[in-house]
Amino acid sequence: FPNLGRGNAVRTAMLAAKGDWRLVLDGDLASPLGEIQKLIPYFENNMCDIIIGSRRIQGAHIEKPPSTIRWILGMGFIMMTQIITNIKVSDVSCGFKCFSKKSAEIIFPKTKINRWSHDAENLYLAKKFNLRICELPLYWNNAKETRVHIISAIIYSFFGLLKIVYLHHNK
């Protein structure tokens, strides 16, 4: 099967899912499955439409921090995302996100980004449709190996953010 990108995979899964809550996790389980129990109070209190795991807020614990350059680039992407899209969350690209059925049905039929910046597109649409976003501090064990090429990731991410605003602004 051809690789159509993580954004396409997440969209396909979210639209096929039937549950009241739909969780996306990174395949390397950088946040262990036990972190799912932290979602329960959010479900019970109906506090949020989307719950985003964060490695960058108080209460988060990073077992193996990324290299300094990766950390700086990650912070740069967050700042770039906040400036271009006006999304005010601390960890846009964390691979631990949970969507309510309502939010998934609003967001995912409208998404267009298949690769870089798909997380930012999901959050941009959530903001556009006034969905409640909560951040949850996570335990994170950074994977040592990565297949991400930093320079191309920066370029694709930047143009992806511009594309999000172009595709969804006033539409």
Side-chain angles (χ1 to χ4, degrees):
F1 294 101
N3 180 345
L4 301 176
R6 186 171 191 266
N8 182 71
V10 169
R11 175 187 319 107
T12 300
M14 288 292 163
L15 293 174
K18 302 295 181 205
D20 291 338
W21 288 94
R22 300 155 190 203
L23 180 65
V24 178
L25 296 172
D26 277 342
D28 65 358
L29 293 179
S31 280
L33 293 175
E35 293 294 278
I36 294 171
Q37 70 184 359
K38 292 181 178 178
L39 297 169
I40 294 169
Y42 293 89
F43 299 155
E44 290 174 343
N45 297 321
N46 195 28
M47 298 165 49
C48 315
D49 298 304
I50 302 168
I51 306 161
I52 301 171
S54 179
R55 302 161 286 192
R56 303 182 194 285
I57 60 175
Q58 185 174 4
H61 175 78
I62 299 177
E63 187 66 30
K64 294 179 190 169
S67 68
T68 303
I69 188 71
R70 292 187 76 76
W71 186 260
I72 291 169
L73 291 171
M75 291 304 296
F77 176 72
I78 290 166
M79 289 175 20
M80 188 170 54
T81 301
Q82 290 175 344
I83 291 166
I84 294 172
T85 65
N86 201 30
I87 298 168
K88 304 299 184 202
V89 298
S90 68
D91 199 352
V92 175
S93 59
C94 181
F96 186 104
K97 292 183 179 63
C98 192
F99 296 84
S100 68
K101 179 179 180 177
K102 170 187 155 186
S103 69
E105 290 175 349
I106 291 170
I107 292 169
F108 290 100
K110 296 169 181 62
T111 60
K112 308 280 189 244
I113 307 290
N114 288 333
R115 296 190 184 273
W116 295 105
S117 303
H118 75 91
D119 286 317
E121 180 184 33
N122 299 338
L123 297 176
Y124 184 86
L125 289 169
K127 183 177 179 284
K128 179 177 180 171
F129 292 104
N130 297 312
L131 297 170
R132 300 168 297 165
I133 301 171
C134 296
E135 291 189 81
L136 168 73
L138 287 179
Y139 172 89
W140 190 266
N141 191 353
N142 199 53
K144 283 186 177 183
E145 294 183 32
T146 181
R147 291 183 283 159
V148 175
H149 296 95
I150 293 174
I151 300 302
S152 63
I154 292 168
I155 293 167
Y156 285 121
S157 295
F158 175 73
F159 286 107
L161 293 171
L162 295 177
K163 185 176 179 181
I164 290 164
V165 174
Y166 173 77
L167 288 172
H168 300 293
H169 186 71
N170 295 326
K171 292 182 184 174

